[in-house]
Amino acid sequence: RTDEACRMTTTAKATLLGTCVGAAGIIYFVHNNQQSDRELLRVGVVKDAERQERKRRNRVDLEYQLQLQHKLEEEEKRVLTPPKS
């Protein structure tokens, strides 16, 4: 009788197995989801750094263009202004 009392029924074994497999599946899914999220965050940081570098280069280019425009306007004034006599 003690042997029979200590033995698990087939239903109990199936329930335990199903619970263990389900828990392992959930852990696997959560782990992969976290890795994917971390990778997306890393990519976002890299893209942000690239975007900031592009903005900085655009500002430098704009300043250079404004300097050239100013020089051109000065040159046009000098050329188009009649000499004073």
Side-chain angles (χ1 to χ4, degrees):
R1 179 169 182 191
T2 46
D3 257 352
E4 289 178 21
C6 290
R7 289 188 191 165
M8 293 175 58
T9 64
T10 306
T11 306
K13 288 178 186 177
T15 302
L16 178 61
L17 179 63
T19 303
C20 290
V21 168
I26 290 170
I27 290 169
Y28 177 79
F29 173 77
V30 168
H31 176 71
N32 282 343
N33 197 22
Q34 285 177 341
Q35 281 184 326
S36 174
D37 289 348
R38 258 185 248 121
E39 183 60 31
L40 287 174
L41 287 172
R42 192 174 305 121
V43 168
V45 169
V46 170
K47 284 183 178 181
D48 191 43
E50 291 171 352
R51 188 175 21 249
Q52 287 177 355
E53 178 60 23
R54 276 195 313 272
K55 283 177 73 174
R56 186 196 64 76
R57 283 194 313 256
N58 285 345
R59 258 184 268 129
V60 168
D61 289 346
L62 178 62
E63 289 172 9
Y64 180 69
Q65 289 294 324
L66 290 172
Q67 289 174 358
L68 288 177
Q69 181 180 1
H70 182 68
K71 286 180 183 178
L72 178 63
E73 288 170 354
E74 291 294 321
E75 184 66 21
E76 285 177 342
K77 280 182 187 177
R78 190 182 61 76
V79 169
L80 294 177
T81 304
K84 293 183 180 178
S85 354

